[in-house]
Amino acid sequence: AARAALQPGGLRLDFSGIAKGHAVDRVSELLAALGATSHLIEVGGELRGEGVKPDGQPWWVELEQPPGGEARRTVVAAYGLSVATSGDYRRYFGYDGRLYAHSIDGRTGRPIENGLASVTVLHPSAMQADAFATALTVMGMDEGLAFAADMKLAARFMAHDRGGLVEVLSPAFLEMMDED
């Protein structure tokens, strides 16, 4: 009723949902300002490619595959493009014999349990790609895919399935595909 919040202690905020992407963007901007118009920057798995390599080729980046399944190999030309992935397989904790993802669903205050192994977002801004990858992971497959379609986000969803992993691509991601 008083529109107040109480922090009882022991609570920490983790801005890693955008921090690495923000750092990538700032370094890329600094390098461009210094005249380095072609570069590839990576901080903690989030990356951005600008310009081309000396041989004229784009910065080719293979998207990481979560453990537990065999997905097709996906390579991205990072030309003015950032790549960010959020997943349940790098940072997690165990309690009572169960593993919990480090991402918290703000609607429940609990670790997510929606079956997603990872979400990768391609976007011009590394910070926005980072934030969207985290948000889509928390939303889950159905809500996240609908949101990505509405926002025209290029997103790859990898979900746990009995047979391993299932890959689902947003319409914007599919439009970027060149199947060779």
Side-chain angles (χ1 to χ4, degrees), residues 28-159:
S28 179
E29 289 169 4
L30 176 62
L31 287 172
L34 293 171
T37 56
S38 293
H39 53 266
L40 180 67
I41 306 296
E42 185 269 338
V43 175
E46 320 303 18
L47 58 91
R48 176 178 180 75
E50 280 294 334
V52 294
K53 298 184 296 183
D55 66 1
Q57 289 288 312
W59 301 100
W60 292 104
V61 178
E62 184 173 353
L63 299 185
E64 182 176 22
Q65 301 296 332
E70 292 297 322
R72 67 180 161 181
R73 182 173 181 242
T74 303
V75 180
V76 173
Y79 181 78
L81 191 63
S82 298
V83 180
T85 300
S86 182
D88 69 354
Y89 54 93
R90 289 207 176 227
R91 295 182 62 201
Y92 54 87
F93 65 94
Y95 179 75
D96 258 354
R98 283 192 62 197
L99 296 180
Y100 295 91
H102 75 285
S103 297
I104 303 296
D105 186 335
R107 300 167 289 198
T108 64
R110 302 189 49 78
I112 59 170
E113 294 184 86
N114 58 24
L116 284 178
S118 71
V119 176
T120 298
V121 173
L122 310 178
H123 193 278
S125 162
M127 184 177 75
Q128 288 187 45
D130 205 357
F132 281 129
T134 300
L136 294 173
T137 299
V138 171
M139 288 179 200
M141 178 69 81
D142 295 337
E143 185 183 355
L145 192 57
F147 182 84
D150 288 345
M151 298 294 291
K152 297 182 179 16
L153 293 173
R156 180 184 77 159
F157 295 78
M158 299 295 290

Side-chain angles (χ1 to χ4, degrees), residues 2-28:
R3 297 181 149 303
L6 172 67
Q7 207 286 47
L11 180 69
R12 297 181 312 168
L13 295 178
D14 179 355
F15 291 100
S16 68
I18 63 167
K20 293 179 285 183
H22 178 71
V24 166
D25 285 340
R26 298 295 77 80
V27 170
S28 179

